[in-house]
Amino acid sequence: MPAELPICNIDSQTKPWAKTLTPMKKKITKPHRISSSQRQQARRASHVLWLLGILTLLAVPSVSGFGCSDPGLGQDEQAQGPEGNTQQEVGATESVSSSSEVPDRSNSDKEAVAKQEPSSSSDANEGRLEPQPEAGPEPGPEPGPEPGPEPQPGPEFGPEPSPCAAPQGSALDQVKSWKNLPIGQAAQQEIAPACGAQGFRIVAAKNAEFEVHFKEFSPKQSLAFEILNARTANKIATDSPLAQGSSGPQGWMVGKFKVDQSGEVSLVVDSRNQKVPVYYKIQIFCTRNCQLEATRFPIVLMHGFAGTDKYFGFLDYFYQVKGHLEKAGYSAFTPAVQPIASSTQRVLTLKSKLDAIFQQTGARKLNLIAHSQGGVDGRLLIGFHNYGDVIASLTTISTPHRGIPIPNLLIPPSQELGESNMKKFNQQYPDDKRVKYFSWAGASCGLLDRSCRQKRKDETVDPLLLATFNALKAVRGDNDGVVPVSSAKWGTFLGEIPADHWDEVGQVADTNNKSFNHKDFYLNEAKRLRKLDF
């Protein structure tokens, strides 16, 4: 805005031209609200009045500037200041502080007028009469650079963590939880905890050989590992590690090992000296004897009434089944209990035999496959002796869960397997929710029953079981010569097998057993348990 013109004390009678300055004595002092268009018009009017005032003063010879002369001074005194300065200098000192808006009084009229023309300087721009641009939207923030990827946690991210405490005990003691590590799959991303350890469990067969690869972790970090059998991992024994090692500066490591017993193998990743978690990938694959298979937990074959592990020391109750399973890689046991005794007595012996298996293998649980009365033994072991936390599954073959309907066919003490006694037993010992129950039923045929034989692969009952077969057929229908099909169903019923009670375990010495391959049956049971991760 142009500076306000000073009002001079001039006598209008002696100097008539002073009347032209009178209108400029009035100032608007009362504030009021005006619109933007009114403000623009007022600005233009003030510029015009300012220019007219300048032109008027320049046209009067007796006035040399905007400074006012004292009427009491002579002409020579007005031309020279008290210190000898010219009027040009005095006028410059007394002018308004915004001197860039005031033309120089020492220049000619032509130069003064030329200074009112537009120029490229900021001083000339302030005096130009230009329309104000309309207000537009507020400019938004300038776009910044594209955001980069999220920083990954690592040794160089975040504040410096506290150092780990000195390791106490073994890395195995630091494992808080366990994960299953599948064989032969793509490498999976893992995180080893800071100042701790990570645990994996692998299911592998005896004599199979493996490699486990650790890769893609920072060379600035280090890891160690050890591979333990179930006995050491579950602190039953202190066997030597199957393999162990640590990483170098390359940021990867490889472990090779051979399995010494079928079942679970434990892998411990040691990161106890790492102040931050270690991100890495892990992969395991088989390198030798890869056709061998294993269940997670050992298989225990439990014999029935009048049974044992071996008759006469050489004839297996489960005829050649144990060797057949072990050849395929599975871990199998055949403990013997009293041949002729009640389940209450037999289960006491069974407990000690199973405890010995736990000590021998270091397994966390067992899979029970029981024939006939052996299934009642297993249920009593779980229900009365509280073995439900260490038994993964119970599979029964022709076990009289609902009793045998002809008690006088049973010799003491097997009479506890009668229907009335088993009804009470079932009420007293319900299934344990921690255990999976499966069942099979054997069904045989009479020699002259052609329709039954066609249905069951030409199966016929052994002549020594023909009398009991016919008696049970008359009152309960299909049976295997000892146990009705209806009584054998328990838990998840898997179906019927074409076999009599002796054929179900390959007796006698696998004779008269053409319709049923008992060894393959038990091998398929092991495979089924393996698929269920038991």
Side-chain angles (χ1 to χ4, degrees):
M1 293 293 292
E4 183 181 349
L5 296 176
I7 306 300
C8 301
N9 186 13
I10 301 174
D11 187 358
S12 60
Q13 294 181 357
T14 58
K15 299 179 180 179
W17 53 265
K19 292 181 180 181
T20 60
L21 297 176
T22 304
M24 299 188 69
K25 294 180 179 181
K26 296 181 181 180
K27 297 173 61 178
I28 298 174
T29 58
K30 183 178 180 180
H32 62 281
R33 297 181 179 178
I34 59 176
S35 64
S36 60
S37 60
Q38 292 174 334
R39 186 182 296 108
Q40 188 174 4
Q41 293 175 0
R43 187 181 297 112
R44 292 174 179 175
S46 64
H47 280 278
V48 172
L49 292 175
W50 180 72
L51 289 174
L52 289 175
I54 292 176
L55 293 176
T56 302
L57 294 174
L58 292 175
V60 180
S62 60
V63 180
S64 60
F66 292 113
C68 299
S69 60
D70 190 347
L73 294 177
Q75 186 175 0
D76 296 338
E77 292 175 341
Q78 292 182 18
Q80 187 173 354
E83 297 181 1
N85 294 333
T86 62
Q87 186 64 35
Q88 177 183 355
E89 295 172 340
V90 174
T93 305
E94 295 178 354
S95 63
V96 183
S97 60
S98 183
S99 60
S100 61
E101 299 179 1
V102 182
D104 190 0
R105 292 176 301 191
S106 64
N107 295 333
S108 64
D109 295 345
K110 184 181 294 187
E111 292 174 345
V113 174
K115 284 186 177 289
Q116 309 306 316
E117 298 298 327
S119 65
S120 61
S121 64
S122 60
D123 298 334
N125 289 337
E126 294 184 5
R128 294 177 60 182
L129 300 180
E130 296 180 356
Q132 298 296 322
E134 295 183 2
E138 290 290 332
E142 295 184 1
E146 291 293 329
E150 290 290 334
Q152 295 295 327
E156 299 179 0
F157 180 73
E160 181 68 19
S162 302
C164 301
Q168 300 292 331
S170 65
L172 178 64
D173 298 329
Q174 300 298 318
V175 176
K176 303 300 181 183
S177 61
W178 294 86
K179 297 177 62 176
N180 294 333
L181 182 62
I183 298 172
Q185 296 189 9
Q188 62 187 48
Q189 183 71 52
E190 293 295 338
I191 307 175
C195 306
Q198 189 178 22
F200 298 92
R201 290 192 175 110
I202 306 159
V203 179
K206 182 179 180 179
N207 294 326
E209 298 181 19
F210 296 88
E211 284 189 11
V212 56
H213 290 200
F214 307 82
K215 53 188 178 181
E216 296 186 20
F217 56 91
S218 172
K220 296 180 180 180
Q221 297 178 295
S222 63
L223 291 174
F225 75 92
E226 57 181 355
I227 300 174
L228 311 172
N229 62 19
R231 286 164 46 85
T232 303
N234 296 321
K235 301 180 179 179
I236 302 299
T238 54
D239 297 339
S240 299
L242 302 179
Q244 59 185 349
S246 59
S247 64
Q250 68 275 9
W252 58 270
M253 57 183 177
V254 176
K256 300 180 180 181
F257 65 98
K258 181 179 180 180
V259 181
D260 62 348
Q261 61 179 26
S262 296
E264 287 185 330
V265 177
S266 296
L267 166 62
V268 179
V269 179
D270 188 354
S271 55
R272 290 178 294 168
N273 62 344
Q274 299 301 302
K275 296 184 291 185
V276 296
V278 181
Y279 291 74
Y280 69 99
K281 287 186 177 181
I282 186 172
Q283 183 181 24
I284 183 172
F285 51 90
C286 181
T287 58
R288 190 175 181 184
N289 295 329
C290 303
Q291 79 282 0
L292 300 176
E293 299 177 338
T295 52
R296 182 173 293 276
F297 310 118
I299 295 172
V300 179
L301 302 171
M302 298 165 54
H303 66 78
F305 184 80
T308 184
D309 55 341
K310 290 179 180 292
Y311 291 109
F312 313 112
F314 67 90
L315 183 61
D316 299 331
Y317 180 90
F318 292 91
Y319 187 68
Q320 296 180 346
V321 171
K322 183 176 183 293
H324 193 61
L325 294 178
E326 290 176 340
K327 184 178 179 180
Y330 295 95
S331 176
F333 297 86
T334 56
V337 296
Q338 296 91 321
I340 301 176
S342 66
S343 290
T344 304
Q345 295 174 321
R346 286 161 55 108
V347 75
L348 297 177
T349 303
L350 180 63
K351 281 181 55 180
S352 62
K353 296 295 181 70
L354 296 187
D355 290 344
I357 295 173
F358 282 120
Q359 291 293 320
Q360 179 180 342
T361 63
R364 296 182 296 122
K365 293 187 177 185
L366 298 174
N367 290 304
L368 306 182
I369 299 180
H371 179 243
S372 192
Q373 189 183 1
V376 179
D377 298 343
R379 288 182 58 193
L380 191 62
L381 175 79
I382 297 169
F384 180 75
H385 294 281
N386 300 318
Y387 269 59
D389 59 336
V390 294
I391 301 300
S393 67
L394 171 61
T395 302
T396 60
I397 296 104
S398 287
T399 292
H401 294 286
R402 292 173 175 82
I404 297 175
I406 307 176
N408 57 356
L409 294 179
L410 302 173
I411 61 174
S414 64
Q415 290 179 342
E416 68 174 5
L417 301 178
E419 287 183 328
S420 59
N421 289 336
M422 287 306 300
K423 184 177 181 180
K424 296 177 182 178
F425 179 90
N426 294 336
Q427 294 173 348
Q428 189 173 1
Y429 303 112
D431 289 350
D432 191 314
K433 294 181 179 180
R434 297 169 293 180
V435 180
K436 296 295 183 181
Y437 295 82
F438 306 96
S439 63
W440 290 92
S444 189
C445 302
L447 182 62
L448 303 179
D449 192 347
R450 293 186 178 181
S451 61
C452 177
R453 291 175 62 180
Q454 290 177 352
K455 179 181 177 181
R456 297 190 170 98
K457 300 180 180 181
D458 202 29
E459 160 65 17
T460 58
V461 67
D462 190 281
L464 297 177
L465 296 174
L466 182 59
T468 55
F469 171 81
N470 290 329
L472 291 172
K473 183 80 171 179
V475 294
R476 291 291 183 269
D478 292 341
N479 65 90
D480 66 352
V482 176
V483 178
V485 171
S486 58
S487 182
K489 296 179 180 181
W490 195 260
T492 300
F493 182 60
L494 301 175
E496 298 180 5
I497 54 179
D500 61 34
H501 204 69
W502 292 347
D503 292 339
E504 292 159 2
V505 291
Q507 296 300 340
V508 176
D510 202 19
T511 59
N512 192 30
N513 196 21
K514 298 178 182 180
S515 61
F516 177 65
N517 188 325
H518 73 286
K519 290 188 288 188
D520 285 349
F521 169 77
Y522 287 99
L523 178 60
N524 289 333
E525 278 300 286
K527 292 177 179 291
R528 180 181 66 84
L529 294 172
R530 176 176 177 267
K531 290 180 179 179
L532 293 174
D533 199 28
F534 289 155

